[in-house]
Amino acid sequence: MARPGAYLQLMRPVNLGILLLMLLLLLGKGSGWNAEMLRLPECIWVALAILATAAAGNVINDVCDTATDAVNKPGRQLVPKVIPRKNALLFYCALLAIALLAAWLTDLGFFLFCAAVSLLLFYFTRELKGIPIAGNLLIALLTAAAV
């Protein structure tokens, strides 16, 4: 059985921390640094949805990229060496469910946005990753969409 820390590592916590910091800065700037203007429960759901979507994208990337990772970073490969592929897929589904539930609790439009981003991340991982310009463009757009 994989250690719990491996699942945290699979989500790429440093990247998620940077994303959270960016979200907090944008929320602060958007509210004029006035905490009274923020609707805290909604901000928490939005942040959770965005972070879980990004984490799910990181997980599915590692699940689908095992052959490349075996060559490029054999010592750091989590799937399937540390976390079985089936468990990683279940973890991906759980993160996706958390993201979509948090988005649903925020707003229908935001839910549709998160669903679209999740589908595009999956599509990138399965189809576009090997196509330099198209893959890079999609990831740039999805990264900007988080903002």
Side-chain angles (χ1 to χ4, degrees), residues 106-128:
T106 302
D107 176 66
L108 177 61
F110 187 58
F111 169 80
L112 294 173
F113 169 77
C114 285
V117 167
S118 296
L119 285 171
L120 288 170
L121 283 170
F122 185 82
Y123 179 68
F124 163 77
T125 299
R126 297 288 298 164
E127 304 294 331
L128 291 182

Side-chain angles (χ1 to χ4, degrees), residues 39-143:
R39 295 182 298 201
L40 191 58
E42 189 172 284
C43 290
I44 291 171
W45 290 125
V46 167
L48 180 60
I50 290 172
L51 291 171
T53 299
N58 291 333
V59 170
I60 199 63
N61 180 59
D62 280 6
V63 168
C64 294
D65 228 9
T66 55
T68 305
D69 289 348
V71 173
N72 293 335
K73 43 186 176 174
R76 296 185 297 160
Q77 190 178 18
L78 292 172
V79 179
K81 287 186 176 183
V82 178
I83 301 170
R85 181 178 167 83
K86 178 182 175 186
N87 291 7
L89 282 170
L90 289 172
F91 188 52
Y92 164 74
C93 290
L95 288 169
L96 192 56
I98 290 167
L100 294 176
L101 176 63
W104 177 260
L105 292 171
T106 302
D107 176 66
L108 177 61
F110 187 58
F111 169 80
L112 294 173
F113 169 77
C114 285
V117 167
S118 296
L119 285 171
L120 288 170
L121 283 170
F122 185 82
Y123 179 68
F124 163 77
T125 299
R126 297 288 298 164
E127 304 294 331
L128 291 182
K129 193 164 190 171
I131 304 172
I133 302 289
N136 293 350
L137 182 61
L138 179 60
I139 289 301
L141 290 172
L142 292 176
T143 301

Side-chain angles (χ1 to χ4, degrees), residues 14-65:
V14 173
N15 294 1
L16 296 179
I18 292 168
L19 181 57
L20 178 61
L21 180 62
M22 184 178 60
L23 288 170
L24 292 173
L25 289 172
L26 288 171
L27 284 171
K29 179 76 172 153
S31 68
W33 304 104
N34 182 355
E36 293 175 6
M37 289 187 64
L38 295 175
R39 295 182 298 201
L40 191 58
E42 189 172 284
C43 290
I44 291 171
W45 290 125
V46 167
L48 180 60
I50 290 172
L51 291 171
T53 299
N58 291 333
V59 170
I60 199 63
N61 180 59
D62 280 6
V63 168
C64 294
D65 228 9

